[in-house]
Amino acid sequence: MRKHWTFVVRVLIFSLIACAVITIVNYVITPKKYYEDLWPTTATYKGFYKMDKDTVDVLFLGSSHVAAAFNPQVIYDKYNITSYNLACEQQNLVVSYYWLKEALRYQKPTAVVLDLYMLYTFDPSEPLNTSESFTRMAMDSMKWSDIKWDAINDICRLDKKQTISSYIFRNVRFHNRWMELNENDFEFVILENHYELKGFSPLSQRSVASEDHEPFMTTNPEGEAEPEELMMNYLDKIVQLCDDNDIDLILTKTPSDSWDEFKHNTVQKYADKNNVAFYDFNHSDVYNGCEFNWVKDMNDNWHTNVWGAKKVSKYMAKLLQEDYAVEGREYDAQWADTKEYYQHIMDDCKISNTNDIYEYLKEINNPRYTVLIAAQTDMSSCLSDDLKKAFSELGFDMDVEENDSYYGVKSDDTVTEDAGQDALSYVGSARSKLVDFSVTSQGYYAGNACSIKIDDVEYAKQGNGINIVVYCNENRRVIDSVVYNEYLYR
Amino acid sequence: MIYISLKYYVLVIAALILYYIFPLKLRWLVLFTANIAFYAFFYKTGWWIFLLTVIFCYLIGLAIPGQKQKTGKLTFIAGIIGVTAPWLIIKNSNFVIAEILGRDPVSFIVPLGISFYTLQLISYMADVYMERITPEKNIAKFILFASFFPQLLQGPIPRYSQLSHQLTNGNIFDEEKVVKGFQLIIWGFFLKLVIADKAAIIVNTVFDNYPAYTGAYIWIASFLYSIQLYTDFLACTTLARGVSLMFGIELVSNFERPYYARSIKDFWRRWHISLSTWLRDYIYIPLGGNRKGKVRKYINLLITFIVSGIWHGAGFKFLVWGLLHAVYQIIGELTFDYRESIYEFCGIRADSRKKKWIKITGTFLLVNFAWIIFRAETLRKGILLITDMVTEFNPWVILNDRIFTLGLAWKEMVVLGAAIYLFHKIAKYQEQGKSANDRFYSQPMLFRWGVYIAAIVGIILFGTYGFGFNAQDFIYGGF
């Protein structure tokens, strides 16, 4: 009998070890997005759980439009309001509802700001209006509780191609990802500690959005758009949930080209009927009220850039403070301590919009960056003495003759460069040998080409002149790729 | 998919715990209850057809002994007709209705595993009739024999004398058997998910899109189909053997490395052994076997393989597939001396490895051609596929990247190749008469644990299942 019991104990120990290993493997293969990604969904949700209990006053929910538009750091710096942006890519209202429910287990917000872009048809082929993969990513980040159980039951009921078992055993959904695993999949413990921006996605493009965009004014108040029935049901649930928890719900629509007056009217009527506020940043009243400039403040035609986000965030924060009595806090280290990190991000964003090469070289002269330079055709014509001097401050000699090939790399405070008439190439690594890169340069007589690859991905603009790629060691991503031609135009 | 589903293994674990908790004499009741639970979970329709057939067979079994010879024979024939009728109607009538009479097929309720349990019950009645066994008097124990859940749907087809006492006597706990059963289950999952279902992706792409793919594509797909069919069927019987062994019940082995066979006759000694021996014992030998001269032997062979073809499915392609195997054997026997003289002429010694591999390769190619007809949608398509294989010349598709357009990326191809290689190595080891299962069990525990976990993780990652895949049912599960 004793022999039998030792067998049972061995079976239990083996089962525990096997379960632990399978759990880790399943976590590794689950797709994750951290701060190196434009839309750091995983970091947003994992970070939320790390916030001190009952310290968040305002929550933002919605799609990527919201993730790019509301900046909790700006809101805290300006108004001392503590907020967290729980938006993510293609967040439909089912996900918004369950994440709000989940958030209320940990925080007691005074107000919730909800964007309604997904109230209308976004992806008609999807039962939940948005792509399954984004719903998965948001839900996979949620801790197990009865709320998650209800959520996945609801999602699987609505979307027949999803299964409850695949949420429990994630290998059912993601096992084929073994072919595409990368550093982030294994470094999740470290990366989940980076949620400094609290869900905000800083986008840096400027002057890309349509120049002839105008905010709309109310011209046809009777015109209405048809919302998605399922989304409308979940909007009702959100309204009810906020009502039950004594939370001020504020409906909004961030600046976006895919919004119009009819959609606005429908939401406005809904808001009036349910006695909730609605602020539409596409309507001329609000648009002009926050002094929005479409070309300067939009990253593209749908998302605000960091400068646009500043305006939208400040406008909303002011409303929250003045109309909703969200008082803010004297000091909270969770927001105060991330100010410096936010400033770094702003510096990164500025770099990709700097045209003047002298100013550019000053900005990239920072140990946070790995700088990779490759000449194509001839770069000597660009190099005045002043410019050489500016480069020398970065550590590059730039000792090139006419039509020479040239490459230069500044990584971990070490500068490597070479010039000559033959084709040149260099292979190295940055971030303590964790990321590899290769730089090749072919001057006029060596083939007229160049390449700057990081982790085997080509980033060089491959134009004639000085090609520069700036990789941010801290955020693990390329923050700018530029070519300066002989007239020093970007 | 039942035998690789989570729900099934929850049932198995619960049944195992209860089985070894119960007193020895009552353990068969746990198996009986587990069978009922199995039916409740997985057997939504047609269970009553199965139950009525089993009860009918039980009564026939009780009625045969003690009767006069003539009456006993009539009872036995009535039993055969009664047990075979549901299978004939359900599995074969649509062939007559649709293919021969040209009318719309009828939608029948199909009890799972009908082809398997029909043969099992026929063998029981025949054994009772021939007084090889005494009939089971306890109806519950008989139902347990007829419905033992791990092997019900896909075999191996058991004999009463081999299985019944193992089910009803109760087995004492034996750690070795439980662990070896567990090892077989892991191996079964590996065969099914990492080899069979991965190969199926390419096989389905080529076979289902004919005539888009010709020549080398069909060669590749047909080889992979041979591997898929074997590993798929081997997987389901391995899983059945693994689960049974955990209860202390040893099921017969259904395969003995059939693709190492050196002749078609040898192939049928190694392939689906429980069916081959059934056909031998209940069709071929009763017809006279090889005892009544060569011509009669060949006729018996043709009849046996026609029955085998009909058992595998209704349709001309299955008939032709069965006949082809009979013809292979007849020609093989008629040309034996001639072929031996060719070997001698070429200077290939009788016991040389060269001869062995020539024979193995030749047998495999013949089996492979027959599998093409077996897999093709219709007999006509099967013949066209074989014609295209030998008339279309496009070997470059193997050398350039075209092969990666058949549904598997190169990394998955590497996994499939490595898995087939591992399977081949283990088969070679077994071919020496050794048991890989025994050898592995004799390794130190921590080493085994490491390999178990690595195997489980490997199957989880490299298996073909889940979102984005059409999980393949066991091929023989449809029979």
Side-chain angles (χ1 to χ4, degrees):
Chain A
M1 198 61 189
R2 198 181 156 193
K3 210 177 159 190
H4 292 179
W5 280 112
T6 55
F7 177 73
V8 170
V9 171
R10 274 184 283 138
V11 167
L12 289 175
I13 293 170
F14 174 79
S15 304
L16 281 175
I17 296 170
C19 285
V21 171
I22 292 167
T23 305
I24 293 168
V25 168
N26 276 348
Y27 201 84
V28 168
I29 60 175
T30 304
K32 310 162 203 73
K33 286 188 173 190
Y34 297 111
Y35 68 160
E36 87 296 340
D37 199 281
L38 280 182
W39 310 105
T41 304
T42 313
T44 297
Y45 295 124
K46 293 287 177 186
F48 180 74
Y49 287 116
K50 292 182 178 167
M51 302 299 291
D52 293 343
K53 232 176 167 186
D54 299 334
T55 54
V56 176
D57 274 342
V58 179
L59 288 172
F60 297 99
L61 288 156
S63 66
S64 58
H65 295 191
V66 178
F70 294 108
N71 185 341
Q73 193 65 51
V74 166
I75 292 172
Y76 177 80
D77 291 346
K78 181 81 179 168
Y79 292 96
N80 283 344
I81 293 173
T82 54
S83 63
Y84 202 98
N85 193 331
L86 280 174
C88 71
E89 272 176 289
Q90 295 193 20
Q91 185 182 92
N92 56 60
L93 290 172
V94 181
V95 174
S96 301
Y97 170 69
Y98 281 109
W99 257 106
L100 176 57
K101 263 187 120 172
E102 175 71 354
L104 298 183
R105 289 173 67 210
Y106 298 89
Q107 304 291 342
K108 285 181 186 158
T110 314
V112 166
V113 180
L114 174 70
D115 182 271
L116 289 180
Y117 177 52
M118 290 301 170
L119 184 66
Y120 299 97
T121 306
F122 178 76
D123 186 344
S125 68
E126 289 285 347
L128 291 175
N129 202 26
T130 61
S131 169
E132 175 266 354
S133 60
F134 297 112
T135 301
R136 278 296 313 220
M137 196 174 282
M139 295 317 299
D140 282 334
S141 304
M142 190 182 278
K143 283 184 179 176
W144 278 102
S145 67
D146 54 341
I147 290 172
K148 180 163 180 171
W149 185 246
D150 289 347
I152 60 175
N153 269 285
D154 235 6
I155 287 166
C156 296
R157 178 179 55 81
L158 297 164
D159 184 356
K160 296 296 176 205
K161 68 176 180 287
Q162 298 199 49
T163 59
I164 293 171
S165 63
S166 76
Y167 279 91
I168 301 166
F169 304 102
R170 294 187 196 168
N171 53 291
V172 174
R173 174 66 182 86
F174 300 119
H175 71 94
N176 236 27
R177 275 200 76 240
W178 66 267
M179 288 184 276
E180 55 194 59
L181 294 178
N182 59 38
E183 186 189 348
N184 290 355
D185 291 306
F186 295 91
E187 290 219 341
F188 53 86
V189 177
I190 300 166
L191 293 169
E192 280 173 12
N193 286 322
H194 285 281
Y195 53 97
E196 292 89 344
L197 297 181
K198 299 169 186 72
F200 172 61
S201 295
L203 305 181
S204 61
Q205 284 195 123
R206 228 174 177 169
S207 309
V208 176
S210 164
E211 286 182 10
D212 48 10
H213 179 90
E214 290 290 334
F216 61 77
M217 288 180 283
T218 305
T219 54
N220 183 358
E222 296 309 313
E224 283 194 45
E226 189 65 41
E228 280 283 324
E229 194 184 337
L230 178 70
M231 297 296 105
M232 190 54 108
N233 290 343
Y234 277 86
L235 175 58
D236 289 340
K237 287 185 178 203
I238 292 171
V239 171
Q240 188 62 47
L241 182 64
C242 289
D243 205 29
D244 293 345
N245 288 278
D246 203 19
I247 295 168
D248 287 322
L249 176 65
I250 298 158
L251 304 179
T252 190
K253 181 65 217 93
T254 60
S256 167
D257 205 26
S258 47
W259 191 259
D260 56 41
E261 189 189 353
F262 285 8
K263 289 179 179 178
H264 168 93
N265 291 345
T266 306
V267 175
Q268 189 62 62
K269 280 178 186 161
Y270 179 88
D272 294 343
K273 188 180 156 197
N274 288 279
N275 202 24
V276 290
F278 174 47
Y279 296 97
D280 189 344
F281 287 88
N282 299 286
H283 193 281
S284 55
D285 292 349
V286 181
Y287 185 92
N288 295 328
C290 66
E291 296 172 352
F292 205 81
N293 181 313
W294 193 262
V295 176
K296 284 183 178 173
D297 295 333
M298 290 298 281
N299 180 75
D300 46 52
N301 280 326
W302 304 275
H303 305 95
T304 55
N305 59 28
V306 282
W307 298 279
K310 233 180 203 176
K311 292 179 181 174
V312 171
S313 301
K314 281 181 184 172
Y315 185 89
M316 186 56 77
K318 191 165 181 256
L319 276 173
L320 287 164
Q321 201 152 73
E322 290 175 359
D323 296 356
Y324 296 92
V326 182
E327 288 172 3
R329 290 154 194 262
E330 273 300 300
Y331 174 83
D332 191 316
Q334 295 178 104
W335 281 263
D337 291 352
T338 52
K339 201 170 175 179
E340 190 184 341
Y341 176 82
Y342 171 63
Q343 196 49 54
H344 287 171
I345 297 296
M346 289 305 288
D347 292 344
D348 295 348
C349 293
K350 201 174 158 199
I351 284 170
S352 58
N353 289 286
T354 303
N355 290 323
D356 181 72
I357 193 165
Y358 295 98
E359 203 180 318
Y360 187 83
L361 293 175
K362 270 185 205 161
E363 285 167 0
I364 63 173
N365 191 3
N366 189 318
R368 291 173 67 236
Y369 306 132
T370 293
V371 180
L372 306 130
I373 304 171
Q376 180 169 306
T377 305
D378 177 30
M379 76 172 198
S380 64
S381 54
C382 317
L383 287 171
S384 63
D385 287 345
D386 285 348
L387 191 56
K388 274 191 173 181
K389 199 179 163 198
F391 269 109
S392 74
E393 280 170 22
L394 258 176
F396 298 106
D397 289 340
M398 291 286 194
D399 191 11
V400 290
E401 302 290 326
E402 195 177 345
N403 296 324
D404 268 0
S405 307
Y406 171 87
Y407 74 77
V409 174
K410 187 183 177 193
S411 173
D412 298 331
D413 279 334
T414 309
V415 174
T416 311
E417 61 182 333
D418 197 6
Q421 289 207 334
D422 296 333
L424 299 169
S425 65
Y426 176 73
V427 178
S429 60
R431 266 187 51 230
S432 307
K433 298 178 184 170
L434 281 170
V435 58
D436 58 274
F437 56 75
S438 68
V439 187
T440 59
S441 168
Q442 291 167 284
Y444 184 76
Y445 296 114
N448 278 337
C450 78
S451 166
I452 301 173
K453 286 183 177 176
I454 298 174
D455 277 342
D456 209 33
V457 178
E458 181 63 70
Y459 286 102
K461 292 280 185 197
Q462 296 181 319
N464 291 344
I466 311 169
N467 288 267
I468 304 173
V469 170
V470 182
Y471 175 83
C472 180
N473 302 323
E474 189 179 12
N475 291 330
R476 304 180 177 197
R477 67 175 178 217
V478 170
I479 55 165
D480 193 32
S481 173
V482 63
V483 54
Y484 282 98
N485 65 14
E486 60 184 306
Y487 305 109
L488 295 180
Y489 287 144
R490 201 187 148 105
Chain B
M1 293 302 287
I2 290 171
Y3 289 143
I4 55 169
S5 68
L6 179 68
K7 211 155 80 170
Y8 175 70
Y9 286 94
V10 170
L11 171 68
V12 168
I13 291 167
L16 264 178
I17 293 168
L18 290 172
Y19 187 79
Y20 288 115
I21 288 174
F22 265 57
L24 202 61
K25 279 187 176 177
L26 298 177
R27 284 182 181 173
W28 70 275
L29 281 173
V30 176
L31 287 181
F32 184 77
T33 315
N35 282 359
I36 293 171
F38 178 81
Y39 279 72
F41 283 146
F42 303 110
Y43 220 106
K44 301 296 177 198
T45 57
W47 61 270
W48 56 272
I49 299 174
F50 172 71
L51 190 62
L52 286 177
T53 314
V54 171
I55 292 170
F56 175 75
C57 180
Y58 166 75
L59 295 173
I60 292 287
L62 286 181
I64 291 172
Q67 286 189 355
K68 285 180 186 169
Q69 203 181 3
K70 200 176 173 186
T71 343
K73 194 172 187 177
L74 282 174
T75 313
F76 172 57
I77 291 169
I80 298 287
I81 292 168
V83 167
T84 316
W87 171 77
L88 268 174
I89 294 166
I90 290 167
K91 285 285 190 177
N92 295 280
S93 56
N94 271 334
F95 171 61
V96 178
I97 293 168
E99 297 278 327
I100 297 172
L101 302 176
R103 298 203 178 151
D104 289 339
V106 180
S107 175
F108 289 107
I109 294 167
V110 185
L112 292 173
I114 185 169
S115 301
F116 286 93
Y117 75 68
T118 302
L119 296 193
Q120 182 182 348
L121 297 178
I122 290 172
S123 79
Y124 169 76
M125 289 186 296
D127 288 350
V128 171
Y129 176 66
M130 289 188 271
E131 296 177 353
R132 288 181 189 144
I133 54 169
T134 49
E136 176 61 66
K137 292 195 171 59
N138 185 326
I139 190 167
K141 286 184 178 177
F142 183 72
I143 291 173
L144 171 61
F145 158 71
S147 62
F148 182 46
F149 71 94
Q151 51 95 69
L152 175 75
L153 305 185
Q154 286 140 154
I157 303 157
R159 302 292 174 87
Y160 180 81
S161 55
Q162 179 265 328
L163 181 64
S164 186
H165 65 94
Q166 294 194 71
L167 295 173
T168 52
N169 288 356
N171 300 300
I172 54 166
F173 175 81
D174 182 345
E175 181 182 331
E176 185 176 341
K177 285 186 176 176
V178 174
V179 174
K180 281 183 179 173
F182 175 65
Q183 288 178 178
L184 283 175
I185 291 170
I186 293 179
W187 183 237
F189 269 92
F190 171 80
L191 294 173
K192 172 69 179 158
L193 298 180
V194 184
I195 302 182
D197 284 0
K198 209 169 272 301
I201 293 172
I202 290 180
V203 172
N204 294 346
T205 305
V206 174
F207 276 86
D208 296 348
N209 293 294
Y210 178 80
Y213 298 100
T214 57
Y217 288 118
I218 304 174
W219 279 101
I220 294 165
S222 67
F223 287 155
L224 284 175
Y225 180 63
S226 292
I227 293 167
Q228 181 207 344
L229 186 65
Y230 175 35
T231 49
D232 187 279
F233 198 7
L234 179 61
C236 70
T237 49
T238 304
L239 291 170
R241 286 177 61 216
V243 170
S244 302
L245 196 57
M246 292 175 107
F247 289 98
I249 296 158
E250 292 185 34
L251 297 180
V252 292
S253 176
N254 225 6
F255 297 95
E256 295 288 339
R257 282 94 37 215
Y259 294 147
Y260 287 146
R262 297 178 200 189
S263 66
I264 296 296
K265 193 176 175 183
D266 187 22
F267 174 79
W268 280 102
R269 276 192 216 111
R270 294 159 173 262
W271 177 271
H272 202 170
I273 296 165
S274 62
L275 174 68
S276 310
T277 50
W278 192 97
L279 290 168
R280 184 195 64 198
D281 295 347
Y282 301 105
I283 304 282
Y284 182 69
I285 291 174
L287 284 171
N290 57 3
R291 302 186 306 274
K292 295 185 177 176
K294 279 211 163 180
V295 176
R296 186 65 191 275
K297 178 189 170 185
Y298 295 150
I299 292 170
N300 292 343
L301 212 54
L302 283 167
I303 294 170
T304 306
F305 276 92
I306 285 172
V307 172
S308 173
I310 293 170
W311 182 83
H312 278 88
F316 291 115
K317 67 170 189 174
F318 291 112
L319 274 178
V320 170
W321 171 79
L323 274 172
L324 202 53
H325 272 276
V327 170
Y328 281 162
Q329 289 192 57
I330 294 166
I331 292 174
E333 206 167 308
L334 290 173
T335 61
F336 182 79
D337 293 339
Y338 177 66
R339 281 182 290 125
E340 287 302 310
S341 60
I342 292 175
Y343 286 122
E344 211 172 299
F345 177 75
C346 296
I348 300 170
R349 285 200 334 270
D351 58 346
S352 68
R353 280 165 64 93
K354 259 184 228 143
K355 187 177 174 184
K356 181 183 132 188
W357 281 106
I358 289 169
K359 285 188 156 205
I360 289 175
T361 309
T363 306
F364 176 76
L365 286 174
L366 289 175
V367 171
N368 191 63
F369 280 125
W371 285 143
I372 293 171
I373 289 173
F374 189 89
R375 170 63 178 79
E377 217 173 288
T378 59
L379 175 62
R380 191 178 158 273
K381 274 197 178 173
I383 293 166
L384 286 173
L385 278 158
I386 294 173
T387 311
D388 276 3
M389 265 172 99
V390 291
T391 55
E392 298 292 333
F393 184 74
N394 57 347
W396 53 86
V397 300
I398 301 169
L399 305 172
N400 61 28
D401 288 347
R402 294 290 299 151
I403 203 168
F404 299 122
T405 62
L406 299 177
L408 289 186
W410 72 266
K411 289 178 190 172
E412 289 174 294
M413 288 274 204
V414 170
V415 168
L416 178 60
I420 291 171
Y421 180 72
L422 175 66
F423 177 53
H424 164 70
K425 291 299 276 184
I426 288 176
K428 261 184 90 176
Y429 181 77
Q430 290 169 326
E431 196 64 2
Q432 295 163 14
K434 298 172 186 170
S435 162
N437 205 9
D438 289 350
R439 171 84 191 271
F440 199 71
Y441 179 73
S442 65
Q443 301 301 314
M445 189 186 75
L446 285 180
F447 172 78
R448 278 191 284 126
W449 282 20
V451 177
Y452 296 153
I453 288 171
I456 291 167
V457 169
I459 293 164
I460 281 175
L461 292 180
F462 303 134
T464 303
Y465 63 97
F467 192 88
F469 292 104
N470 287 323
Q472 306 284 313
D473 280 332
F474 283 110
I475 296 171
Y476 269 74
F479 292 150

